[in-house]
């Protein structure tokens, strides 16, 4: 079984852009186009949630993507009608894949 054969779900990635208005307030927008990516979604385990307490309290999901995927902090992930914000990415020590820590956007 290969890693690619485990990527049975699909997500859509959008890049976040920021700008300041004339009084210095930050505005955030996401790109109008989305990049299709195969992935593997799963909830964090109880141990993973304990390990990340204080760092990423609202992170409850993770996604696995190939290492060449442009997945970075603050991107938006669309999966089955729900939107998630990438809070952080973890690159596997062998450079094989990336793991995105996801916060559900309500």
């Amino acid at each position: 079984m290969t890693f690619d054969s485990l990527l049975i779900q699909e997500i859509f990635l959008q890049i976040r852009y920021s700008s300041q208005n004339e009084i210095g307030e930050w505005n955030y927008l996401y790109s109008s186009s989305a990049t299709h990516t195969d992935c593997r979604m799963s909830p964090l385990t109880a141990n993973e949630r304990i390990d990340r307490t204080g760092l990423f309290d609202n992170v409850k999901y993770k996604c696995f993507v190939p290492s060449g995927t442009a997945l970075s902090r603050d991107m938006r992930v669309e999966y089955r009608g729900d939107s998630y914000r990438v809070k952080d990415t973890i690159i596997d020590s062998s450079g094989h894949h990336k793991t995105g820590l996801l916060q559900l956007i309500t």
Side-chain angles (χ1 to χ4, degrees), residues 13-19 26-33 72-77 84-87 103 105:
L13 301 173
Q14 292 178 299
I15 298 170
R16 183 171 106 161
Y17 296 100
S18 59
S19 63
W26 285 99
N27 296 317
Y28 300 101
L29 299 169
Y30 288 95
S31 60
S32 58
S33 63
S72 61
R73 185 177 291 175
D74 291 330
M75 289 182 86
R76 182 163 62 185
V77 173
Y84 300 87
R85 181 175 171 207
V86 178
K87 296 296 283 183
Q103 173 189 16
I105 300 172

Side-chain angles (χ1 to χ4, degrees), residues 51-65:
D51 289 345
R52 287 168 175 66
T53 301
L55 291 173
F56 306 110
D57 289 333
N58 296 323
V59 171
K60 294 190 170 74
Y61 302 94
K62 60 185 172 184
C63 69
F64 301 96
V65 296

Side-chain angles (χ1 to χ4, degrees), residues 34-54:
T35 304
H36 170 268
T37 303
D38 292 328
C39 81
R40 179 76 174 204
M41 293 282 288
S42 74
L44 290 180
T45 64
N47 286 339
E48 288 173 322
R49 280 195 236 154
I50 290 169
D51 289 345
R52 287 168 175 66
T53 301

